[in-house]
């Protein structure tokens, strides 16, 4: 399965994918795109010999045009699965329609709790004792698509976001490659009785 | 610490409290009240020699009057902590003001996800892979008060509510007595910087 990764930042989740599934388990990372031309994620891709491109908002009249260019580039490269790994932009409906059930995201919270841009801050403000990570399909909403994998971690004394993220990042780096591996293996389907429920064949 | 338990149903959480903390760790269960005169929870209380009373909605003009009578009975019995254990009624603001930061509840979900009356059904409909239990202080909202204890359980293949509840009940039966024990020991306080954050001194 040809996989693209979209990233805005340092690209540690991209690195986990490069280290853990790229070139095995039927997974090939063939493209990395960013909304930021100087994202360190692009350097990681180049070092791994993966094609890269930047799609800057400023270069396009509006988001759908930017997303159209990006989708064209990805489809031209034979991409079958799009993985958001710290990609800080919402994707247009048209982009998602071109990759039906083939865009996934990793989010550092146990969705549906704490969607959005500051999940760990929000969870700390709420005072939860259990944190976690979700890998989910991307739909038109904010972190609202069907859940593929989740893992929880109990941090009853947590008080600062950095130390919570230190505990969540290694979980992200396990779950996201695992989800890609399962998708490549054809082990992920939807429960016909409830398409919100993702069935994993293990 | 003199503890009252409010229950509407079979009273398995009451039983866990009777078995695990009643008469030790500084905890005495001194009263059990119900909104249902035939709740099996009342039989469990009587068998343990604990005073019981029923406060039926039909016997009072409206909820505040019922809650006032119940609070009078509890305070008359020297109650210092009120534990909701499957109590299916909302408590009036006045009742809560008479037990400030001294009413707790157990809820079979990782709040703030899935508050309300059907948390397990709602979680299954959403398609989560991680379920859990929360013990929290009761405030004026629905399952919205500060979290005291939480525990998660990964059930990635869950599909029916009964089997999820089978996994969650033993967790409730551990967490609720543990919360009562911690409160009796004076080990539970609020973070002055964020009163949503409950600090447990272990």
């Amino acid at each position: 399965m040809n996989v693209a990764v979209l990233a805005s930042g340092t690209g540690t989740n991209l690195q986990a994918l490069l280290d853990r599934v790229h070139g095995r388990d039927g997974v090939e990372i063939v493209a990395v795109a960013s909304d930021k031309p100087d994202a360190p994620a692009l350097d990681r891709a180049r070092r791994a010999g993966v094609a890269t491109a930047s799609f800057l908002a400023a270069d396009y009249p509006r988001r759908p045009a930017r997303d159209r260019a990006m989708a064209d580039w990805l489809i031209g490269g034979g991409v079958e699965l799009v993985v958001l790994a710290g990609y800080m932009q919402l994707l247009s409906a048209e982009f998602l329609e071109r990759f039906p059930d083939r865009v996934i995201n990793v989010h550092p919270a146990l969705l549906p709790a704490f969607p959005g841009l500051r999940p760990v801050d929000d969870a700390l403000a709420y005072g939860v004792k259990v944190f976690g990570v979700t890998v989910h399909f991307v739909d038109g909403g904010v972190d609202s698509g069907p859940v593929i994998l989740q893992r929880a971690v109990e941090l009853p004394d947590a008080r600062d976001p950095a130390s919570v993220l230190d505990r969540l990042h290694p979980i992200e780096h396990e779950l996201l490659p695992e989800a890609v591996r399962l998708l490549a293996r054809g082990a992920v389907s939807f429960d016909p009785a409830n398409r919100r429920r993702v069935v994993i064949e293990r």
Side-chain angles (χ1 to χ4, degrees), chain A residues 131-202:
Chain A
F131 297 76
V133 170
T134 303
V135 178
H136 63 93
F137 286 108
V138 174
D139 65 11
V142 175
D143 302 317
S144 56
V147 173
I148 304 168
L149 298 173
Q150 282 184 312
R151 191 172 302 160
V153 56
E154 292 177 23
L155 301 172
D157 303 319
R159 41 191 321 162
D160 84 291
S163 66
V164 174
L165 284 165
D166 281 349
R167 296 293 302 274
L168 298 183
H169 283 150
I171 300 175
E172 294 184 14
H173 300 165
E174 273 185 50
L175 286 199
L176 191 56
E178 174 67 8
V180 171
R181 199 178 290 123
L182 290 165
L183 284 157
R185 182 147 66 75
V188 178
S189 62
F190 296 94
D191 182 346
N194 171 17
R195 275 188 52 92
R196 295 265 344 160
R197 186 174 161 263
V198 174
V199 179
I200 309 285
E201 192 189 297
R202 286 171 203 278

Side-chain angles (χ1 to χ4, degrees), chain A residues 76-106:
Chain A
V79 167
E80 299 161 284
L81 175 72
V82 178
V83 178
L84 310 191
Y87 185 65
M88 303 305 273
Q89 304 280 323
L90 285 176
L91 292 165
S92 67
E94 192 202 300
F95 183 99
L96 295 175
E97 280 160 24
R98 293 176 75 182
F99 294 95
D101 299 332
R102 279 295 176 261
V103 183
I104 69 171
N105 182 41
V106 61

Side-chain angles (χ1 to χ4, degrees), chain A residues 13-22 24 29 44-45 48 50:
Chain A
N13 272 309
L14 167 62
Q15 194 64 53
L17 291 164
L18 289 168
D19 294 344
R20 296 182 181 201
V21 291
H22 180 45
R24 34 180 162 145
I29 297 177
R44 294 180 193 267
V50 175

Side-chain angles (χ1 to χ4, degrees), chain A residues 5-35:
Chain A
V5 179
L6 309 190
S8 303
T10 56
T12 58
N13 272 309
L14 167 62
Q15 194 64 53
L17 291 164
L18 289 168
D19 294 344
R20 296 182 181 201
V21 291
H22 180 45
R24 34 180 162 145
D25 299 321
V27 176
E28 204 70 38
I29 297 177
V30 298
V32 173
S34 181
D35 58 318

Side-chain angles (χ1 to χ4, degrees), chain A residues 40-52:
Chain A
L42 295 173
D43 296 323
R44 294 180 193 267
R46 285 183 208 109
R47 279 199 296 275
V50 175
T52 65

